[in-house]
Amino acid sequence: MSTSSVPTPWILGLTGGIGSGKSAAAQHFIDLGIDAVDADHAARWVVEPGRPALARIAEHFGDRVLLPDGQLDRSALRKLIFEVPEERRWLEALLHPLIAEEIRSHLARARSPYAILVSPLLIESGQYSMTQRILVIDVPQSLQIERTLQRDGISEQQVQAILKAQSSREDRLNHADDVLVNDRDLAWLHSEVERLHHFYLTLRGGRS
Ligand SMILES: CC(C)(COP(=O)(O)OP(=O)(O)OC[C@H]1O[C@@H](n2cnc3c(N)ncnc32)[C@H](O)[C@@H]1O)[C@@H](O)C(=O)NCCC(=O)NCCS
Ligand SMILES: Nc1ncnc2c1ncn2[C@@H]1O[C@H](COP(=O)(O)OP(=O)(O)OP(=O)(O)O)[C@@H](O)[C@H]1O
């Protein structure tokens, strides 16, 4: 049977800085039946062993970024790219087009009334051009740092370096159609996601 009669969903871009709560918010949209593609997941698929990008990375940075089993040593690469901005830009130039391709092909298979692209770099990477509406998850920077330190085993210095590589809170908010302020508990986050979900179901093509 042809699927050409199934309408393509409009795309909501969901963004926010490191540790803002994008994944927690996205999981609740998924629980409500919405299809979501996560740019951080796409970034992992494109460097799986055997894929050309991993060979390019090893060629450029050397074996220090490979684990004994041949997988990418993510922690080693993280340290390198957030210490040296030119190395981060080199990696982004290699990976962002591949990540965008993965995202596009996954979004094309989405079948819910609208679908979500979750990305920390939605604005910086130009991925917002694949979306019709932008939801920013906003938290004060102190909470962002506190939640990231609690979740990941990395130093505060590294979190600061990652924050520096991302858009400012102000810049992100300038691009927002909707803002979810995630400065309370998870029950609040879920109730805000539900409120937005009911609103999004009323929109056509992402606009009222
Ligand atoms: C450096 C890598 C190997 C570290 O991997 P690790 O498993 O530790 O972290 P993970 O990929 O889950 O990312 C965690 C968070 O770091 C931040 N982050 C990742 N890459 C970047 C970047 N290039 N610039 C700014 N922040 C970034 C984001 O907030 C992201 O949510 C990895 O982040 C990577 O390959 N980054 C380059 C690709 C990229 O730009 N990905 C972002 C999505 S487009
Ligand atoms: N409202 C909240 N109350 C308490 N903890 C929260 C809340 N929102 C998120 N968290 C927790 O904060 C941490 C960061 O959230 P999450 O992983 O969703 O952020 P993220 O924006 O996806 O981060 P990254 O950009 O690093 O992928 C997680 O451990 C999550 O469970």
Side-chain angles (χ1 to χ4, degrees):
M1 196 181 75
S2 158
T3 54
S4 59
S5 60
V6 178
T8 313
W10 63 270
I11 311 298
L12 175 73
L14 191 163
T15 191
I18 185 164
S20 55
K22 294 178 298 296
S23 305
Q27 187 53 54
H28 203 57
F29 279 107
I30 292 168
D31 293 343
L32 295 168
I34 297 304
D35 295 326
V37 180
D38 190 318
D40 282 339
H41 297 172
R44 284 166 192 262
W45 303 329
V46 299
V47 295
E48 273 169 6
R51 300 209 50 183
L54 184 57
R56 294 284 311 281
I57 292 170
E59 214 176 272
H60 183 83
F61 291 100
D63 284 352
R64 63 191 165 154
V65 296
L66 293 180
L67 293 168
D69 66 359
Q71 300 226 32
L72 180 64
D73 184 339
R74 305 183 67 84
S75 155
L77 187 57
R78 189 177 61 227
K79 285 191 191 97
L80 286 168
I81 67 156
F82 291 113
E83 262 168 30
V84 186
E86 298 78 56
E87 297 292 23
R88 176 170 51 81
R89 283 190 278 273
W90 181 88
L91 185 69
E92 289 174 351
L94 172 72
L95 296 185
H96 284 185
L98 304 173
I99 293 170
E101 215 176 290
E102 289 284 347
I103 290 171
R104 241 178 241 112
S105 82
H106 278 76
L107 284 176
R109 298 203 285 273
R111 289 292 174 262
S112 49
Y114 63 95
I116 299 183
L117 165 54
V118 187
S119 177
L121 303 182
L122 189 78
I123 291 147
E124 300 90 320
S125 68
Q127 288 161 2
Y128 67 87
S129 65
M130 292 187 246
T131 70
Q132 279 77 54
R133 191 174 186 96
I134 296 180
L135 167 61
V136 169
I137 310 292
D138 184 50
V139 286
Q141 205 179 78
S142 55
L143 197 51
Q144 209 181 337
I145 296 170
E146 186 186 309
R147 285 180 180 159
T148 305
L149 288 175
Q150 250 170 37
R151 187 196 54 187
D152 303 337
I154 62 176
S155 68
E156 176 155 359
Q157 192 192 358
Q158 223 176 63
V159 180
Q160 294 283 6
I162 296 174
L163 277 168
K164 241 173 88 181
Q166 300 186 342
S167 277
S168 68
R169 192 175 169 192
E170 190 187 23
D171 196 32
R172 227 179 265 118
L173 288 172
N174 280 336
H175 286 82
D177 294 291
D178 310 302
V179 179
L180 194 169
V181 183
N182 185 23
D183 61 355
R184 291 166 64 178
D185 59 12
L186 282 169
W188 159 258
L189 174 66
H190 291 168
S191 68
E192 281 295 276
V193 165
E194 282 160 32
R195 182 181 64 75
L196 287 161
H197 172 65
H198 289 113
F199 170 56
Y200 292 149
L201 290 176
T202 70
L203 300 182
R204 286 159 196 262
R207 298 285 153 203
S208 16

